[in-house]
Structures are given as structure tokens and as C-alpha cells.
Amino acid sequence: MASRYRVLGLFVVASTLFGGTFVAAKGGLAYFPPLLFVAFRFDIGTALMLPYVLVRFPREKWLPRTRADVAGILAAGVFTIGLTNAFIFVGQQSVTSGVGAIFMSLNPILTPVFAAVLVSDEGFSRYDAGGMLLGFVGVVLVASIDPTNLFDGAVIGKAVLLAGAVCGGLGGVLIRRADSSLPSSVRTAWGLPIGALLCHFMSLAAGEQPALIEWTPAGLVALGYVGVFSGALAFIAYFGLLDEVGAIRGNMIFYVVPIVATLGGWVLLGETISPLTIAGFVTIVCGFAIIGREPITTELARFRAYIGAKLGSATEQMATVARTDPNWGEQD
């Protein structure tokens, strides 16, 4: 039972903190240039995560030793951390927190596509293709694409967010392909400074200036949140969840994150979300359900077996009481 409470706690913490990322990013973009904002986020995350893994793991667990370890760290730092979040923060300048989170919920749909190409032991069936297609129909609904507004700022922002989801899915598969022996939290701790350096370089290339930063209390709160809570604590909870339940069930947080982000944006930033966007999100979830049908079916079967065993045990206990207590069942 303690393990179940731990899993539930990790799930709630990870999905809540990651969902808050989109709200804090949207709020903080009023005070920080986007790429510099995300670079500062990873500076803070590095300062917190590296000491954590150095204390938490023995030397042989946190020190990269093979080319596979280095490849996994680079995949995490460049794609999963650096480019993914750079695109998120840039794209969120023109969309709501909820829409940004919905685009990132494509991660579990895009991952099997890249896995089929880059990981030799994984295939891509007609069901997978159908689920992917359904997911992208959901993207079209969320993006509200209209030929007359293809170059509108919001549409471009959504395209940038889609690029972030692509980088996230690709990075996850490249990490798997590297087959590193490092624990996932250690790999993330080493990937954070790589992501920070990449974002600082991109910020310089884009001409962002530190002088444009407005060091206001609200801006500092937003930076503190994305750096401490979603830049370190959320990763710790997320990887703890993956260790407990595996990738399929653990990645279900990506379908709670948009709900958290939408509610947070509504309460804290006064944002709203359209019925068409909600329909798009539901369509994306259906696409994921098709792609993940086998593991989902397996987990549902395990859940039914668990409930059946509990009900059977309760029935047996009642029968035992009825046999041993002649007054059982009598009403006063």
C-alpha cells in the first residue's frame, strides 16, 4: 500500500510541477527574453541537480564511463532538455499555457515514430500509423489552422511548439538507442549544463540582451519556479515515477499536464481555452490510446485481476465469518 501511495504522490507532484512550467513560462516571458529565460532555468537546475546526484549516487553510478553514456547525455542535453525547452519558451510567447502543454502531450505519439526508424527492435504497425494520424488531426484542431492566417504570430508559435515536441520525442529515442548504463536522473543532471550552454549560445545568436530583463518580483518568482520546481524537483519526481511504474504508465503525466497548465493559466493569468482546443486534446489522447493499446490493455487486465482478487478475498472473509458466527447477519 505504501508503494501505491508513493506512486500516486510522485504522479501528482510530477504532473503538477510540469504543468506549472507552462504557466510560469508564460508569465515570465513578460520580463525575460525567451531563450535567455530558459538558459537561466537550466543554470539553476544544474546548480541543484548536480549536487543531488553526487550525494545520492556512488561514484561509479554518476561518472560517465563509456561512449554510450556520453551519447545518452548529449541526446538528453541537446534534444530532450535544450532544444525542446527552447522551442517551448519561444513558442509560448503567442499561445496560452494550456495550448503549449497540449502540443507537448504529443511526445508519447511521436516517440514510437522515431523508435520505428532508429531502434531496430521496434516496429511500426498500421495501428501505430492510425494513432499517429489521429494525433496530428488533434494538432490541426488545436492549431486552428486557416489558410488566411498561416503567417499569423499564433500559428507560427504553434509550429515552434510542434518542433519542440518533435525534439522531445527524438531525444527520448536517441537516449534509448544510446543504451547508457547511467541512471536517468544522473543523465539529466549532466544534460542540464549542456542544455544551458546551448540555450545561452542560441540567445546570443538571436541578439537577446540581458539589459532587456526586468528584474521584478513577479519575474523572479517565475524564474524561481521554472528553475527550482520544474527544473529540478519535477525531474526527480518524474524519474522516480518511471523507476516505479515504467515509461508507459509514467508518461501518462503528459495527459494531466495540459489540464494543470490550463487551470493554472485560467486562475493566475486569466487565460481561456476554446472548445475546439479541448476537442483537439481529446483527439490526441485517442491517438495515444491506439498507439499504446497493448501496454494499456495489459495494465487494465492487471487492474481487473487486482480488483477481482480483492473482491474474492472480501467474499471469502464474509463467508468465514458467516460460518463461525451464528449471529452474523441478524438484524437488531
Side-chain angles (χ1 to χ4, degrees):
M1 183 62 68
S3 178
R4 291 193 185 92
Y5 285 132
R6 171 177 166 79
V7 168
L8 178 60
L10 291 173
F11 187 94
V12 170
V13 169
S15 56
T16 301
L17 294 182
F18 277 137
T21 301
F22 295 89
V23 182
K26 183 67 176 180
L29 286 170
Y31 310 102
F32 295 89
L35 294 171
L36 195 56
F37 189 16
V38 73
F40 285 163
R41 176 195 183 189
F42 294 142
D43 290 339
I44 296 172
T46 299
L48 294 174
M49 282 292 288
L50 276 179
Y52 167 78
V53 300
L54 295 181
V55 172
R56 172 71 174 77
F57 296 94
R59 179 184 175 88
E60 59 271 15
K61 289 289 187 179
W62 60 255
L63 187 65
R65 296 179 180 275
T66 66
R67 279 192 280 184
D69 292 341
V70 174
I73 289 171
L74 288 174
V78 173
F79 289 96
T80 307
I81 295 174
L83 291 177
T84 297
N85 286 275
F87 284 132
I88 289 174
F89 278 58
V90 172
Q92 274 221 247
Q93 293 177 104
S94 55
V95 302
T96 64
S97 307
V99 169
I102 288 172
F103 271 90
M104 294 314 298
S105 70
L106 281 171
N107 190 299
I109 291 179
L110 292 169
T111 298
V113 180
F114 292 117
V117 177
L118 298 174
V119 182
S120 58
D121 60 348
E122 298 207 21
F124 193 70
S125 69
R126 286 180 295 176
Y127 287 103
D128 295 329
M132 182 187 69
L133 179 61
L134 195 59
F136 280 102
V137 169
V139 170
V140 172
L141 292 174
V142 174
S144 303
I145 294 176
D146 183 336
T148 63
N149 68 354
L150 284 178
F151 298 102
D152 179 78
V155 174
I156 294 174
K158 292 168 184 175
V160 172
L161 287 167
L162 178 59
V166 169
C167 288
L170 177 59
V173 174
L174 290 175
I175 290 171
R176 191 188 314 171
R177 185 179 182 182
D179 196 23
S180 168
S181 61
L182 292 175
S184 54
S185 53
V186 172
R187 184 171 55 243
T188 299
W190 287 117
L192 280 168
I194 294 173
L197 288 173
L198 176 62
C199 291
H200 277 296
F201 176 79
M202 294 172 67
S203 175
L204 286 172
E208 293 182 350
Q209 298 294 328
L212 298 175
I213 298 174
E214 297 180 33
W215 295 103
T216 64
L220 290 173
V221 168
L223 178 60
Y225 183 92
V226 299
V228 176
F229 291 95
S230 67
L233 298 181
F235 281 120
I236 294 172
Y238 173 63
F239 290 123
L241 180 65
L242 294 187
D243 290 340
E244 291 282 345
V245 302
I248 294 296
R249 285 189 291 172
N251 281 333
M252 290 300 291
I253 68 166
F254 289 108
Y255 295 104
V256 179
V257 164
I259 299 172
V260 175
T262 300
L263 291 175
W266 174 58
V267 172
L268 299 174
L269 304 177
E271 297 176 341
T272 59
I273 193 165
S274 71
L276 191 61
T277 299
I278 296 174
F281 174 59
V282 172
T283 305
I284 292 171
V285 173
C286 291
F288 170 74
I290 293 174
I291 291 175
R293 66 197 178 281
E294 292 181 1
I296 290 174
T297 301
T298 300
E299 291 304 324
L300 287 175
R302 290 175 59 184
F303 179 74
R304 286 196 297 269
Y306 171 78
I307 295 298
K310 288 294 184 182
L311 290 175
S313 176
T315 302
E316 184 178 346
Q317 289 176 2
M318 292 173 63
T320 300
V321 171
R323 288 194 302 269
T324 58
D325 185 355
N327 298 319
W328 185 83
E330 294 183 2
Q331 295 182 353
D332 294 335

